[in-house]
Amino acid sequence: MERTYIMVKPDGVQRGLVGEIIKRFEQRGYQLMALELLHPTKEHLEEHYKDLAGKPFFPGLIEYMLSGPVVGMVWAGKEVVKIGRKMLGETNPLASLPGSIRGDFAIDVGRNICHGSDAVESAEREIALWFPRGVPEYKRDISVHGLIY
Ligand code: DAT
Ligand code: MG
C-alpha cells in the first residue's frame, strides 16, 4: 500500500488546523498509519529538507520549522503521494486553488501550513526519518460501505 508523510507545520499547529487536515485525509478515504506531535531538532529538520540546503530561503525555512511543535503523520492508500500533494495545494499558497488546504488557509509561501512528500521514494525516506521505530500495518474494515479500499 502506497504511503506518504504529511506534516502540519508550526503555523498549522498554532492556528488549530491539525483536526481540519486530518479530517480531509480521513474523509477522502485514506488510512491513518501513524501520528505524533513533536519538537524536532535543527539537525532533524536539516536532514528532512537536505535537498533544499543550497536555497536562499533555507535558513528561514529551518527557523520557521523550529518555531513550535509539528504534527507528523503517515497516510496510506491509492496514489496517496500524488493525491496528498493535490489536497495540500501548490508550494506557493497564492497559486493554490480554493478547496486545497493551502488554497483555503494560507497566503504566504513561508507559512504554508503543511508538508507532503513529493514522490514515493522521498515518502519512504521521510517516514523512516520521522518514525524510526517503524509504522505497523493494521487491517481497516470499512466493508459496511460496500467498498473495499
Ligand atoms: P513543498 O513544501 O511544496 O514540497 P518545497 O519542497 O519546494 O515545497 O519547499 C519546501 C518548503 O520551503 C516550502 O513548503 C516552503 C519553503 N519554500 C519553498 N520555496 C520557497 C521560496 N521561494 N521562498 C520561501 N520559502 C520557500
Ligand atoms: Mg517538498
Side-chain angles (χ1 to χ4, degrees):
M1 184 68 88
E2 186 170 304
R3 308 189 296 176
T4 194
Y5 178 67
I6 300 293
M7 175 166 54
V8 186
K9 294 178 177 180
D11 53 332
V13 175
Q14 294 298 326
R15 291 175 57 189
L17 294 171
V18 175
E20 173 69 31
I21 292 167
I22 291 173
K23 185 190 75 169
R24 289 178 181 224
F25 279 82
E26 274 191 323
Q27 68 187 16
R28 185 70 192 257
Y30 289 118
Q31 182 180 3
L32 181 63
M33 306 305 292
L35 172 70
E36 186 179 14
L37 180 141
L38 77 169
H39 300 251
T41 63
K42 187 165 186 277
E43 291 68 34
H44 196 100
L45 289 163
E46 286 172 348
E47 178 63 25
H48 173 77
Y49 279 127
K50 67 178 180 187
D51 294 348
L52 300 173
K55 303 281 185 190
F57 58 81
F58 187 73
L61 170 64
I62 299 298
E63 188 183 356
Y64 151 58
M65 291 299 297
L66 278 168
S67 66
V70 300
V71 173
M73 299 175 252
V74 177
W75 289 91
K78 285 180 195 168
E79 299 197 33
V80 67
V81 171
K82 185 179 85 186
I83 303 301
R85 294 276 295 186
K86 272 194 187 167
M87 290 166 65
L88 262 51
E90 302 297 321
T91 302
N92 184 349
L94 293 181
S96 300
L97 290 175
S100 66
I101 293 164
R102 289 164 175 168
D104 284 346
F105 298 109
I107 50 172
D108 290 315
V109 68
R111 294 288 182 275
N112 64 5
I113 296 177
C114 46
H115 165 82
S117 308
D118 61 9
V120 171
E121 302 74 45
S122 50
E124 290 301 324
R125 178 182 82 82
E126 292 169 7
I127 291 167
L129 176 67
W130 291 93
F131 293 96
R133 283 165 297 170
V135 177
E137 292 183 10
Y138 67 97
K139 183 170 156 38
R140 186 175 52 150
D141 186 355
I142 49 174
S143 55
V144 66
H145 297 295
L147 286 168
I148 307 295
Y149 286 88

